[in-house]
Amino acid sequence: MPHRSPGAPGHRGGNYLSGKVIKYYRPKGSAEVRHLIDHGFQAFNAGRLSEACNIFTEKMMLPEHETTVGLTIAGALTPAGLGGCVIEVIERGLVDFIISTGANLYHDLHYALNFSLHRGSPFLDDVELYEEGIIRIYDVLFPATVLLETDKYIRDFLVRSKLSGAMSTSEFHYRLGLDLMEQNPGCEEYSVVAHAAKSGVPIYTSSPGDSSIGMNIAYHELMNGSTLMIDPNRDVNEVCAIILAAKKNGCVILGGGSPKNFYLQGQPTLWEVYGIPKGGNDYFIQFTTDQVVWGGLSGATPAEAVSWGKVNPGVLPDTVVSYVDSTIAFPLFCEYAVGSEHNRRPRKELVHKREALVADLLEQAKKVGDEKPIQDEPAEIDRHR
Ligand SMILES: NC(=O)c1ccc[n+]([C@@H]2O[C@H](COP(=O)([O-])OP(=O)(O)OC[C@H]3O[C@@H](n4cnc5c(N)ncnc54)[C@H](O)[C@@H]3O)[C@@H](O)[C@H]2O)c1
């Protein structure tokens, strides 16, 4: 591990926020980067990254495939400045829905509200940082006041919007995005949440209580008696309905974590629970640092997902995992995609179609229920066996 103890070279002492402000980087489609990926990235994980770029641009993006693309985001990517890549692929219609950790959406709000996160070092004295009121995410530094001010904005939004009752996270994030644009006109150019709302891209969170957004919703219930309730059932059904309606399904998975499974479970929800066989995901791209040997879902391969009916067994050549830090892989991947022939698609604006898609899911599921043969009464169990 590249660890240096506090005070060793690299310790900046004092002026912790003097590093450059982290800005969202927007990929431009650099021909040099494309050349590097096509000709320089030939083997090992560079080879897999090159393969991922090809699967995305030459297969998933082909207009005739009409692939519905889900992007999943785990790891602290918005604090690291990767929100600009996400905005670019949303704006170009290259992704149709997003499943993210709440943290990435919460930290995106700092950008929307014009607070600054700074480049720093991972080798600092955290006790000193604590005493100076500075928060550290690896080498990203910002004052604790950024958290307090962002939390205040969320609580003001909850009061102002009078949101009540049960709702999906996609609805909540859509309303939040609209509010951000109203409060800070133009912020959609530097906020994923705002840009997604503008472009009609639904954003889901697989564990809504697990972030400062969820923490402030909980506060609002306890302190203000709010009835607003994030309803994960709606999220499960909406994601499932989006997947069902797609001609082909494909995913770009950044990191692993619960967003990865929340996307992939859509196929088993269809065949195992609703009795609607969709055939599994058609394209699978993952950039991760997780290893398969630990047995966790984050590092599980597309081949393993076949056994669950999550990935179509016939499409394994169209699946790839590149074991690489996604703060490196994703900007390269996006540069490649933006510079490719199929670099823009009409946006599906699924946020406005969720109700109709869930109604279709219900109709198809009811049809399956009507067609099911009537089961014989289960034989009495011999308890003495
Ligand atoms: N204040 C907040 O709102 C806040 C802050 C931090 C985390 N959280 C919550 O904690 C949970 C975990 O957060 P997390 O996603 O940051 O951490 P995590 O460590 O759980 O990472 C999730 C997955 O992504 C992988 N990953 C992480 N960084 C990567 C990288 N650079 N490249 C490739 N793969 C990478 C991990 O190996 C793991 O599989 C989330 O649910 C999040 O919402 C909340």
Side-chain angles (χ1 to χ4, degrees):
M1 286 294 289
H3 179 75
R4 281 177 287 176
S5 58
H11 173 59
R12 305 158 65 86
N15 200 4
Y16 291 114
L17 300 178
S18 60
K20 275 189 181 169
V21 170
I22 294 180
K23 293 197 170 142
Y24 276 177
Y25 169 80
R26 294 284 287 264
K28 301 272 183 293
S30 153
E32 286 83 1
V33 170
R34 282 178 60 81
H35 184 82
L36 172 71
I37 292 172
D38 279 337
H39 303 285
F41 286 8
Q42 302 173 74
F44 306 159
N45 287 296
R48 299 295 78 67
L49 172 54
S50 176
E51 217 176 290
C53 291
N54 273 291
I55 290 172
F56 190 75
T57 58
E58 300 303 321
K59 293 184 175 178
M60 289 167 74
M61 289 300 114
L62 287 191
E64 60 268 34
H65 288 176
E66 294 172 35
T67 311
T68 295
V69 180
L71 173 71
T72 83
I73 310 175
L77 301 190
T78 54
L82 270 77
C85 292
V86 180
I87 290 172
E88 195 66 38
V89 290
I90 291 175
E91 199 270 322
R92 292 172 170 273
L94 305 183
V95 302
D96 301 300
F97 66 106
I98 292 174
I99 302 171
S100 171
T101 59
N104 275 308
L105 306 174
Y106 172 70
H107 292 303
D108 174 74
L109 301 183
H110 310 326
Y111 295 84
L113 301 171
N114 280 314
F115 298 128
S116 297
L117 281 63
H118 296 260
R119 297 190 199 183
S121 160
F123 310 114
L124 302 175
D125 180 339
D126 286 292
V127 175
E128 209 174 294
L129 288 178
Y130 175 74
E131 279 161 3
E132 298 223 0
I134 291 172
I135 305 287
R136 179 170 80 84
I137 304 174
Y138 194 58
D139 59 351
V140 176
L141 303 172
F142 52 96
T145 49
V146 167
L147 299 180
L148 300 177
E149 289 296 318
T150 305
D151 290 7
K152 184 177 176 314
Y153 161 77
I154 297 170
R155 290 199 296 272
D156 288 349
F157 159 70
L158 290 168
V159 171
R160 186 166 56 238
S161 64
K162 300 188 178 71
L163 294 179
S164 62
M167 69 173 58
S168 60
T169 58
S170 59
E171 181 66 20
F172 179 81
H173 295 137
Y174 177 60
R175 302 290 196 90
L176 185 63
L178 294 182
D179 187 78
L180 286 170
M181 286 189 281
E182 204 175 305
Q183 301 294 318
N184 285 314
C187 75
E188 63 274 17
E189 290 310 313
Y190 47 91
S191 161
V192 172
V193 175
H195 204 96
K198 182 188 162 212
S199 304
V201 169
I203 301 182
Y204 297 91
T205 298
S206 39
S207 32
D210 180 13
S211 80
S212 300
I213 295 179
M215 285 144 63
N216 282 293
I217 294 175
Y219 171 99
H220 190 48
E221 179 185 293
L222 189 65
M223 303 298 281
N224 303 335
S226 157
T227 60
L228 171 63
M229 177 67 66
I230 298 296
D231 181 355
N233 297 342
R234 294 183 191 221
D235 285 4
V236 170
N237 285 329
E238 284 184 18
V239 170
C240 192
I242 288 172
I243 289 172
L244 176 63
K247 187 171 167 192
K248 278 181 181 276
N249 286 289
C251 54
V252 178
I253 297 175
L254 305 180
S258 63
K260 176 182 177 184
N261 186 65
F262 205 73
Y263 173 81
L264 289 174
Q265 73 171 15
Q267 296 279 353
T269 311
L270 285 172
W271 73 258
E272 175 191 334
V273 179
Y274 286 114
I276 308 170
K278 182 75 177 31
N281 206 53
D282 300 289
Y283 302 106
F284 179 115
I285 292 170
Q286 183 179 12
F287 301 117
T288 188
T289 48
D290 293 298
Q291 301 284 313
V292 67
V293 290
W294 308 121
L297 183 276
S298 294
T301 59
E304 183 179 329
V306 167
S307 72
W308 283 86
K310 290 174 174 174
V311 169
N312 183 332
V315 303
L316 279 178
D318 295 334
T319 66
V320 64
V321 181
S322 180
Y323 295 97
V324 58
D325 182 333
S326 38
T327 59
I328 299 168
F330 194 52
L332 291 170
F333 176 82
C334 291
E335 280 291 348
Y336 194 95
V338 169
S340 74
E341 187 190 344
H342 305 293
N343 64 1
R344 192 173 283 283
R345 303 190 302 175
R347 287 195 290 264
K348 293 193 178 68
E349 307 218 344
L350 294 173
V351 103
H352 307 299
K353 298 177 182 158
R354 291 167 300 155
E355 231 173 89
L357 294 176
V358 173
D360 282 351
L361 168 65
L362 178 62
E363 196 181 321
Q364 291 200 43
K366 277 186 169 166
K367 225 181 270 170
V368 171
D370 293 344
E371 285 164 7
K372 259 192 190 151
I374 299 160
Q375 303 272 317
D376 290 340
E377 283 292 307
E380 210 178 310
I381 299 165
D382 180 0
R383 292 179 198 285
H384 302 291
R385 224 173 3 208

